[in-house]
Amino acid sequence: MVHPARERAQFVLFATGVLLGLVAEQVVMFSVPLLIFQDTENISVLGISFALEWLPGLLAFPFAGLIADRDGGPRLFSRVNAGRATVLVLVLTVCATLPSATVPALMAGAVFMSLLMAPIRLSVEKAVLLLAKGEKVARTQSLVQNMELLAMAVGPALAVLGSAYIGKLWLLCVAAALCAVAALCWLPLPRGARQLNPGSVAKTVGELRLGWSLLIHNRPVVLLVSINFSINLAFATALSVNAAVVTDIFKAPESSFALLNTLVGVTGLLNLMLVPTLLKRFEVKALGVFGFVLLSTSLLGLASAPSFVLYTVAYVAALMGVAYFNVYNRTQRVKVIPSSHLGKVMGPFYLLNTLSYPIGGLLIAFLGNSLGPQLLVGILAVLLALYGLVVLPLTIRGFNSAIAALEQERLLADVQAG
């Protein structure tokens, strides 16, 4: 039994580490697209950069899942954040000493950051189950989601302030420092059982195969993956051209680009206080449905917005829709995946989800200039809404049935044990 004061301290360190790592990502997401677009002034290059950034993560996720299962979570989080800090310092050094190599260096850095993002995400998944049990899981998953939104307030604001005083390039040094502090925050957290002898290559391949098998044969999780993929494809397309739409189409200043995410983060602060109350009054599936409807509607708003103000409103609403849907997404999936194999299953899960990001980048690269980024986002938003109308009810019913069946198995096991 963990002492309440110690438990609170652990949650503070957990949340702080997650937040600082996410703020670092936001600072990088602010500086890198602007640096690339200012250097090339080409939307297609932004799309290609976005695709290259996410492709390595596709290969990393299944292996990161195995590592997270073997390591336990917090130890992996600290080591990988230290690695991210090192990568950012190296990229900054190249860009500062060889300005002509800025774009290639930024793209190469994005590749390594993508590889290192996979173990970060999966170590957080494992840590949630180490720190929270029962009804606390949903609240902890909500906490992670809201740290993402909070980072969108702090990150861009910090980036704009830093850009004004030290320049966009040197923001990479700020991001490196944040990653280093995030690594330190998780060092005192409890660590799961560690497999000191991971075994042979054949055993590793077998564990990878087991992860895919457990995913494929888990119908509600497969349906959830398909919805997440659709959401990410539509939203990734919008994200990949955000800098160009704001600064080129709407002719808004760079500070307006940061303002978008800052407003999302401020709304996230309100959400941080609101979600626990909502979870007491509404079922988590109701939040999921509301989030999906809000997201689909807001993406259509992004596509048709005639001004920066309306674009901003739609963008904030879309991110809030993602936040509410992810409370459902993150809460339900851990209920039907065996905790001992969570990393093995979540590796392929994240791989399939993340596949949408490079596809979105390639869509922009090949169709962004001809169709226009807003029209392309609108087409994907319509397809997303139609797909969700059919598949989301099936997903909810699938999870209800799977959770009920698992609960029945537990009751039978208790009766037999008694």
Side-chain angles (χ1 to χ4, degrees), residues 85-95 105:
T86 303
V87 168
L88 289 169
V89 170
L90 290 174
V91 171
L92 172 62
T93 302
V94 172
C95 293

Side-chain angles (χ1 to χ4, degrees), residues 30-274:
F30 171 86
S31 57
V32 171
L34 285 175
L35 287 167
I36 291 176
F37 187 65
Q38 287 176 0
D39 195 74
T40 63
E41 296 185 350
N42 192 325
I43 289 179
S44 294
V45 175
L46 272 182
I48 293 171
S49 173
F50 196 81
L52 289 175
E53 177 183 349
W54 285 97
L55 279 171
L58 299 180
L59 302 176
F61 271 117
F63 295 97
L66 291 185
I67 296 171
D69 276 344
R70 292 171 178 175
D71 176 82
R75 184 186 299 104
L76 178 63
F77 181 91
S78 294
R79 290 180 175 178
V80 175
N81 264 308
R84 294 205 297 183
T86 303
V87 168
L88 289 169
V89 170
L90 290 174
V91 171
L92 172 62
T93 302
V94 172
C95 293
T97 55
L98 295 171
S100 60
T102 294
V103 172
L106 291 171
M107 287 186 174
V111 168
F112 283 103
M113 292 293 285
S114 175
L115 286 169
L116 295 175
M117 181 195 66
I120 291 289
R121 295 291 186 269
L122 290 167
S123 62
V124 172
E125 294 281 347
K126 293 291 291 187
V128 166
L129 295 185
L130 284 175
L131 295 173
K133 304 296 180 185
E135 73 280 356
K136 291 184 179 180
V137 171
R139 295 180 184 178
T140 307
Q141 294 286 14
S142 175
L143 175 65
V144 173
Q145 179 65 42
N146 284 292
M147 288 301 101
E148 294 179 2
L149 292 170
L150 180 56
M152 290 181 180
V154 177
L158 179 62
V160 170
L161 184 63
S163 179
Y165 286 97
I166 62 177
K168 290 186 287 294
L169 181 59
W170 291 94
L171 288 175
L172 299 180
C173 184
V174 175
L178 290 170
C179 286
V181 178
L184 294 175
C185 285
W186 275 43
L187 288 178
L189 294 187
R191 301 178 179 186
R194 188 181 185 188
Q195 298 179 23
L196 296 178
N197 184 17
S200 63
V201 174
K203 182 180 178 181
T204 298
V205 172
E207 290 180 333
L208 288 172
R209 187 180 300 139
L210 175 62
W212 280 101
S213 177
L214 290 172
L215 172 63
I216 291 170
H217 291 92
N218 196 323
R219 185 171 180 270
V221 176
V222 170
L223 291 172
L224 185 63
V225 167
S226 71
I227 294 177
N228 284 350
F229 177 89
S230 303
I231 290 173
N232 288 340
L233 179 60
F235 207 74
T237 305
L239 284 177
S240 64
V241 294
N242 218 9
V245 170
V246 173
T247 61
D248 188 43
I249 294 179
F250 293 128
K251 307 299 181 184
E254 290 178 4
S255 57
S256 298
F257 175 57
L259 177 63
L260 278 178
N261 285 335
T262 300
L263 288 174
V264 171
V266 171
T267 311
L269 287 172
L270 300 176
N271 189 55
L272 182 64
M273 298 180 286
L274 183 62

Side-chain angles (χ1 to χ4, degrees), residues 314-332:
Y315 188 82
V316 171
L319 263 294
M320 291 306 300
V322 171
Y324 283 118
F325 181 80
N326 274 343
V327 173
Y328 172 80
N329 169 24
R330 289 173 166 167
T331 300
Q332 297 299 83

Side-chain angles (χ1 to χ4, degrees), residues 300-372:
L300 289 172
L302 280 177
S304 58
S307 67
F308 174 70
V309 172
L310 293 178
Y311 186 87
T312 300
V313 172
Y315 188 82
V316 171
L319 263 294
M320 291 306 300
V322 171
Y324 283 118
F325 181 80
N326 274 343
V327 173
Y328 172 80
N329 169 24
R330 289 173 166 167
T331 300
Q332 297 299 83
R333 69 196 186 200
V334 298
K335 293 180 180 178
V336 298
I337 298 174
S339 59
S340 58
H341 300 302
L342 182 66
K344 299 181 189 68
V345 177
M346 290 308 298
F349 184 98
Y350 273 114
L351 185 156
L352 295 172
N353 283 349
T354 310
L355 181 61
S356 58
Y357 286 100
I359 292 175
L362 293 175
L363 284 175
I364 287 296
F366 290 105
L367 300 176
N369 287 324
S370 57
L371 289 180

